[in-house]
Amino acid sequence: MSSKVQTLGEFIIGNQSEFAYSTGELSRLINSIRLAAKVVNHEVNKAGLVDITGAVGDTNIQGEEQQKLDVYANEKFIQTLTNREIVCGIASEEEDDFITIKGHNKDHQNKYVVLIDPLDGSSNIDVNISVGTIFSIYRRITPEGTPVTLKDFLQPGRNQVAAGYIMYGTSTMMVYTTGHGVNGFTLNPAIGTYYLSHPNIKLAETGKIYSINEGNYIKFPQGVKNYLKYCQLEEEDRPYTSRYIGSLVADIHRNMLKGGIYIYPETSTAPNGKLRLLYECNPMAMIVEQAGGKASDGFTRILDIQPTELHQRVPFFCGSKKMVEKAEEFMQKEG
Ligand code: P6P
């Protein structure tokens, strides 16, 4: 990567207007996530060489078998965010409840809360498929100086001040937004520096890729079945191509760069779908909307959903605006 390309650090300094209302805390928060991601990336990249893959024998609140690397990633992000005196609370996919961070200087003075899926798609680690970290940042709504409460975490996604993901794939990329567009940074592992490789990412208004686990077809609602048949018809710009990696960050990232729609709908056995609203769908929805795309549960904009529980799930339709709107048409026709 030639030196004339901006580094993530230079980008943050050069775009302080994005963080105008913060006293440098938000940019320090983004930097601390960047640092933790480098440490996690180092372990992910050598998974298989050391005894850090495979399951730890525990299960998380989702009842999912915890992989050693996602326990490691969870610990690293929590440790980095805690030590940096920037956040007052953290919620994680790997933690049953939220974590209160008192701070060392003055009690509970920090103004941000972070919600994180430390290693999404971790079941793919052992087969060397891309995995990712997803993060969502809000300003607390309860008074500074008091302990953070569940209310600070159960904010609608439109309140996010920043959201992003790190993809540990053929290269490691950090893609994030602070509400002023979406930028992608690629890590040069040789020197541990992220470079602005994908400035101002725009999601094509339409595309030819649909991404869904068709193994669940029999359980899908009729609206989804009808939309899939629409995608497969030999008409106009169709049939579309089906691509499904089974790792949310990788599937969304591909669509961000190539256009497409990702769907994880409700099913007859999972009436709210599988993906979690607070630390998967909301951050991805902010990123996709900032890039010109759309995200809903088939009926309601994801970012307008009022959360009621930390680990609640929602059906998820996300990607190129016109493709999501067409899928919503089929969903709404079936009611
Ligand atoms: P399924 C990974 O467990 C995850 O949360 C997302 O990363 C991924 O898109 C989805 O679940 C895959 O779920 O049921 O298709 O295996």
Side-chain angles (χ1 to χ4, degrees):
M1 184 72 65
S2 75
S3 57
K4 72 178 185 309
V5 178
Q6 260 190 323
T7 66
L8 175 53
E10 289 162 347
F11 179 85
I12 287 175
I13 291 165
N15 290 275
Q16 276 307 323
S17 57
E18 288 187 19
F19 309 99
Y21 46 75
S22 81
T23 51
E25 282 174 306
L26 184 57
S27 46
R28 285 198 355 258
L29 176 42
I30 299 280
N31 267 316
S32 61
I33 291 173
R34 167 184 66 141
L35 175 67
K38 267 199 282 191
V39 174
V40 170
N41 175 63
H42 182 69
E43 292 306 314
V44 169
N45 281 349
K46 64 183 184 184
L49 294 177
V50 295
D51 179 27
I52 195 163
T53 59
V56 287
D58 298 338
T59 58
N60 61 18
I61 189 169
Q62 330 291 342
E64 293 167 343
E65 197 174 55
Q66 284 188 308
Q67 301 288 329
K68 287 177 184 169
L69 258 180
D70 52 20
V71 173
Y72 174 83
N74 187 50
E75 287 165 4
K76 275 299 153 208
F77 279 102
I78 290 171
Q79 178 188 38
T80 307
L81 290 168
T82 302
N83 296 345
R84 290 291 195 78
E85 288 289 311
I86 306 168
V87 300
C88 55
I90 302 172
S92 167
E93 190 213 24
E94 302 298 334
E95 302 287 337
D96 296 357
D97 202 352
F98 64 85
I99 297 165
T100 299
I101 298 181
K102 191 174 171 193
H104 304 304
N105 308 330
K106 295 181 196 151
D107 293 355
H108 311 294
Q109 285 301 321
N110 298 326
K111 64 169 88 114
Y112 294 106
V113 295
V114 176
L115 297 97
I116 190 163
D117 185 351
L119 207 60
D120 179 75
S122 51
S123 57
N124 293 306
I125 292 167
D126 289 353
V127 292
N128 208 10
I129 288 175
S130 299
V131 292
T133 297
I134 309 169
F135 63 89
S136 170
I137 302 172
Y138 294 83
R139 291 166 73 89
R140 67 178 300 172
I141 48 179
T142 53
E144 289 175 27
T146 62
V148 70
T149 69
L150 185 58
K151 204 172 150 192
D152 293 299
F153 295 94
L154 299 185
Q155 298 185 52
R158 62 176 179 269
N159 289 4
Q160 290 172 102
V161 293
Y165 58 81
I166 297 100
M167 189 171 81
Y168 312 101
T170 45
S171 64
T172 296
M173 274 196 73
M174 179 165 173
V175 175
Y176 79 90
T177 180
T178 57
H180 302 268
V182 181
N183 291 287
F185 300 81
T186 300
L187 179 66
N188 177 343
I191 55 174
T193 301
Y194 287 90
Y195 285 95
L196 179 59
S197 53
H198 297 72
N200 195 23
I201 298 174
K202 288 297 174 202
L203 179 43
E205 198 175 39
T206 190
K208 294 179 180 293
I209 295 172
Y210 67 96
S211 187
I212 187 170
N213 183 344
E214 293 189 70
N216 295 324
Y217 182 84
I218 193 73
K219 301 180 189 174
F220 288 156
Q222 194 54 47
V224 171
K225 291 179 178 175
N226 295 343
Y227 177 65
L228 292 181
K229 288 305 156 216
Y230 169 85
C231 292
Q232 294 157 359
L233 277 179
E234 280 200 288
E235 260 182 23
E236 300 162 351
D237 58 344
R238 286 163 283 139
Y240 296 151
T241 297
S242 174
R243 287 282 183 277
Y244 191 71
I245 301 169
S247 180
L248 179 66
V249 171
D251 277 315
I252 297 287
H253 185 71
R254 179 207 49 243
N255 290 353
M256 287 286 286
L257 301 186
K258 296 192 166 189
I261 184 171
Y262 173 93
I263 304 175
Y264 207 107
E266 66 183 75
T267 66
S268 49
T269 49
N272 292 314
K274 175 181 183 182
L275 300 183
R276 276 69 61 157
L277 171 61
L278 291 183
Y279 39 79
E280 290 178 325
C281 299
N282 270 338
M284 288 306 194
M286 179 180 186
I287 293 165
V288 161
E289 283 199 3
Q290 281 289 315
K294 189 168 186 189
S296 77
D297 63 3
F299 301 89
T300 305
R301 179 187 182 220
I302 289 291
L303 296 183
D304 287 340
I305 294 175
Q306 174 56 54
T308 52
E309 290 166 31
L310 213 45
H311 300 287
Q312 76 184 74
R313 302 172 192 266
V314 286
F316 195 46
F317 295 69
C318 177
S320 294
K321 193 166 185 295
K322 288 198 182 300
M323 296 182 85
V324 173
E325 287 171 347
K326 178 56 78 174
E328 287 171 342
E329 256 180 58
F330 282 98
M331 289 303 290
Q332 288 156 24
K333 208 179 286 175
E334 293 300 322

